[in-house]
Amino acid sequence: GAVVSQHPSWVICKSGTSVKIECRSLDFQATTMFWYRQFPKQSLMLMATSNEGSKATYEQGVEKDKFLINHASLTLSTLTVTSAHPEDSSFYICSAARGAGRVTGELFFGEGSRLTVL
Amino acid sequence: AQSVTQPDIHITVSEGASLELRCNYSYGATPYLFWYVQSPGQGLQLLLKYFSGDTLVQGIKGFEAEFKRSQSSFNLRKPSVHWSDAAEYFCAVGPPPNFGNEKLTFGTGTRLTIIP
């Protein structure tokens, strides 16, 4: 099946610093990628939709200046957590929709990135 | 608004026993339903999906799910579980295929533990 890879798998940073998480589709082009946040024992919460070559679409309540998303190519989207605080500590997961334009709704998920802010 | 409820947070099953994980959804139109599995430290893997056709859907790893519109349910089943099935299982609902919007709403997940 299609492969989506996230890097880093885990990261620890100091409060006030910024952290970048990469999401790559390794064997297909993804015009659309999604970023989720998963709290312990909770569901995946969609944060934003990342569209190649255009601005990301953020879900209600998600701070776009806090969580910067860049989808510069058809195989890479990045999520930057700016001025991180302990409450930003979470598991961040990306997914990619295979195919250009409209797709059939199957998403491929990365392994997730665990962020711990001290 | 769409929502997904997985009433069972944690289920323990003996290896070789049958399994049923419950999922109830709320969606304003015909739903596109999914079951994903997440192993520790890994991403989500699609087990199966349903939009139309036969209401009993076969997936990978011996899993199946049955769509029951009258009960707004999409329960996942497996006749005989293996120790490797221990993982977190997520039910999800989304818009119809090719709608151009792949936003999915996930349930809270059910953690499956297998005992020897």
Side-chain angles (χ1 to χ4, degrees), chain A residues 32 34 36 38 41-44 46 49 57 59 91 93 97 101-112, chain B residues 32 34 36 38 41-46 49 88 90 97-109 111:
Chain A
T32 303
F34 300 87
Y36 300 82
Q38 185 180 26
K41 299 183 180 181
Q42 293 190 30
S43 183
L44 281 72
L46 180 65
T49 302
T57 304
E59 295 300 302
F91 194 56
I93 302 176
R102 304 315 189 199
V103 296
T104 58
E106 182 172 354
L107 299 177
F108 298 92
F109 287 80
E111 313 95 318
Chain B
Y32 196 6
F34 304 82
Y36 287 89
Q38 183 182 32
Q42 297 187 25
L44 276 69
Q45 181 184 22
L46 178 68
K49 58 186 177 182
E88 189 90 19
F90 291 93
N98 295 319
F99 190 68
N101 177 358
E102 291 78 23
K103 287 184 181 180
L104 298 182
T105 298
F106 287 85
T108 48
R111 183 159 58 93

Side-chain angles (χ1 to χ4, degrees), chain A residues 58-77:
Chain A
Y58 290 82
E59 295 300 302
Q60 191 173 11
V62 178
E63 300 175 61
K64 60 182 65 177
D65 295 329
K66 174 78 171 171
F67 299 99
L68 301 180
I69 292 173
N70 184 25
H71 194 157
S73 77
L74 287 172
T75 59
L76 174 64
S77 175

Side-chain angles (χ1 to χ4, degrees), chain B residues 3-113:
Chain B
S3 66
V4 178
T5 301
Q6 292 181 248
D8 304 306
I9 296 173
H10 185 201
I11 284 182
T12 300
V13 177
S14 298
E15 189 169 15
S18 62
L19 170 71
E20 182 169 34
L21 302 182
R22 296 183 291 167
C23 172
N24 293 95
Y25 67 89
S26 174
Y27 194 74
T30 302
Y32 196 6
L33 295 159
F34 304 82
W35 273 100
Y36 287 89
V37 59
Q38 183 182 32
S39 297
Q42 297 187 25
L44 276 69
Q45 181 184 22
L46 178 68
L47 286 176
L48 47 79
K49 58 186 177 182
Y50 172 81
F51 177 64
S52 63
D54 191 344
T55 56
L56 185 62
V57 183
Q58 302 298 318
I60 63 171
K61 303 185 178 185
F63 285 93
E64 66 178 26
E66 186 172 13
F67 171 64
K68 293 185 177 180
R69 185 185 297 276
S70 61
Q71 298 178 19
S72 296
S73 69
F74 188 56
N75 294 348
L76 181 71
R77 301 195 293 248
K78 187 169 184 177
S80 177
V81 297
H82 187 262
W83 64 267
S84 60
D85 293 325
E88 189 90 19
Y89 291 80
F90 291 93
C91 181
V93 64
N98 295 319
F99 190 68
N101 177 358
E102 291 78 23
K103 287 184 181 180
L104 298 182
T105 298
F106 287 85
T108 48
T110 298
R111 183 159 58 93
L112 176 64
T113 298

Side-chain angles (χ1 to χ4, degrees), chain A residues 8-19:
Chain A
S9 300
W10 58 272
V11 57
I12 301 173
C13 70
K14 293 182 178 180
S15 184
T17 61
S18 295
V19 174

